[in-house]
Amino acid sequence: MTQTLTITRPDDWHLHLRDGAMLNAVLPETARHFGRAIIMPNLVPPVVTGAQAAAYRDRILAALPSGMSFDPLMVLYLTENTDPEDVAAAHASGLVTSVKLYPAGATTNSASGVQDFDKVRPVLDKMAEIGMPLCVHGEVTDPEIDIFDREAVFIDRVLDPIRRTTPGLRVVMEHITTKDGVDYVKSNPADLGATITTHHLIINRNHILVGGIKPHYYCLPVAKREEHRLALRAAATSGDARFFLGTDSAPHVDAAKESGCGCAGCFTATNTMPLLAHVFEEDGALDKLDAFASKNGPAFYRLPENPGTLTLTKQAEPVAFPKKITSGDGPVTVFDPGFPVYWTAQG
């Protein structure tokens, strides 16, 4: 028997679109279902000024296929040389929605990130003054810290001190992967939210390593123990307004993933909404999917909800999602959850 669920058109509050040929290939995969997305600025070179954000936005809109509607929400890459007044002007114009903090070396194209957090304090103070959110990649990069502990250490050493010294700063902990992250958000109700990815609701670290290395499950922050995955599931399906969808969909060509030093990132733009319907149904929380995917994010960012809807339909036979999409740079593997999915999505 067919089952349907109609929700407000969703948003993706953490998305990598890349540039050039890759942008052209992956943008339609997101615009098919999502009204808006927070666009990650870690290009080469990174998007650090309002002028660069405007130029990138123009390239995104030029790549949007005819008949599709999509609003890219632009983000500035925080460096130790970022000008607080440029940030404020870009935000006041409506061009830039937030600023992204990458600890230097934390993930793909993060070499220009922050090493000395005191040097960015004037920017953070200005952002607190104007109510502009800071998105953080929440991991320390100290080589002495185990990769599975880097999120918890970041909270203690970096994030909590930043928030204590910059009262009123609105922060999004992006792609949280641990119970520590969930608990920190829950214990700090003011000005703090968190995005959760699709793939971190589905995989734990065993999926990456057991039975051979699975490069298409490798991401940063890396998937953690099962107890952390379950904590993320509980947070996402709770309806708690502090948690919302940010896929961190991150395309890399297969040659870059399937190599001696494979790139980090899972490409989930194509099938995120059907996968979320599966997860939320499994947890008896289909009634909470609208909040997680469509309502909590706009509320945190102080934006209106999208007009329009997305209808999810459960069918009798498993859906055959594409295994790969083709880009001018090479093939990109679509995230495979490892189990049959019966949901489809139609805007």
Side-chain angles (χ1 to χ4, degrees), residues 216-230:
H216 295 288
Y217 287 158
Y218 172 60
C219 57
L220 287 174
V222 69
K224 309 298 195 298
R225 292 179 181 271
E226 177 67 357
E227 65 182 293
H228 297 296
R229 186 186 74 89
L230 294 177

Side-chain angles (χ1 to χ4, degrees), residues 252-324:
H252 295 282
V253 296
D254 286 353
K257 291 287 291 179
E258 300 166 1
S259 71
C261 186
C263 293
C266 297
F267 179 66
T268 56
T270 301
N271 55 359
T272 271
M273 292 311 301
L275 295 183
L276 288 177
H278 176 99
V279 166
F280 277 65
E281 180 187 35
E282 199 169 60
D283 285 12
L286 275 174
D287 61 321
K288 301 296 197 301
L289 181 55
D290 194 32
F292 179 69
S294 308
K295 296 184 180 299
N296 295 349
F300 184 88
Y301 276 91
R302 299 173 180 170
L303 294 171
E305 295 172 11
N306 287 318
T309 59
L310 184 78
T311 296
L312 295 144
T313 303
K314 188 177 183 182
Q315 60 187 42
E317 298 298 324
V319 180
F321 298 113
K323 295 184 182 300
K324 301 178 187 295

Side-chain angles (χ1 to χ4, degrees), residues 34 67 100 195 230 339:
F34 294 90
K100 178 63 181 279
T195 61
L230 294 177
F339 48 74

Side-chain angles (χ1 to χ4, degrees), residues 11-140:
D11 295 305
D12 186 346
W13 298 98
H14 184 133
L15 178 68
H16 296 271
L17 287 176
R18 312 302 190 203
D19 213 344
M22 186 63 79
L23 167 62
N24 287 308
V26 302
L27 176 58
E29 302 299 296
T30 288
R32 188 176 297 120
H33 296 154
F34 294 90
R36 297 168 293 200
I38 286 283
I39 309 300
M40 289 297 102
N42 57 333
L43 305 181
V44 180
V47 179
V48 298
T49 68
Q52 290 170 332
Y56 187 26
R57 187 175 192 274
D58 288 345
R59 296 197 299 275
I60 293 169
L61 293 176
L64 187 65
S66 177
M68 283 189 164
S69 63
F70 177 72
D71 184 11
L73 304 177
M74 306 312 294
V75 178
L76 296 182
Y77 186 119
L78 182 62
T79 75
E80 293 174 5
N81 298 312
T82 295
D83 179 359
E85 296 308 320
D86 181 65
V87 169
H91 184 61
S93 73
L95 169 67
V96 170
T97 301
S98 61
V99 170
K100 178 63 181 279
L101 166 61
Y102 288 104
T107 188
T108 302
N109 300 339
S110 62
S112 300
V114 177
Q115 293 181 317
D116 184 346
F117 290 92
D118 286 336
K119 292 183 178 178
V120 298
R121 198 164 305 284
V123 179
L124 301 183
D125 288 341
K126 175 60 70 172
M127 291 175 65
E129 176 188 328
I130 63 178
M132 187 180 191
L134 176 71
C135 298
V136 299
H137 180 110
E139 293 185 289
V140 296

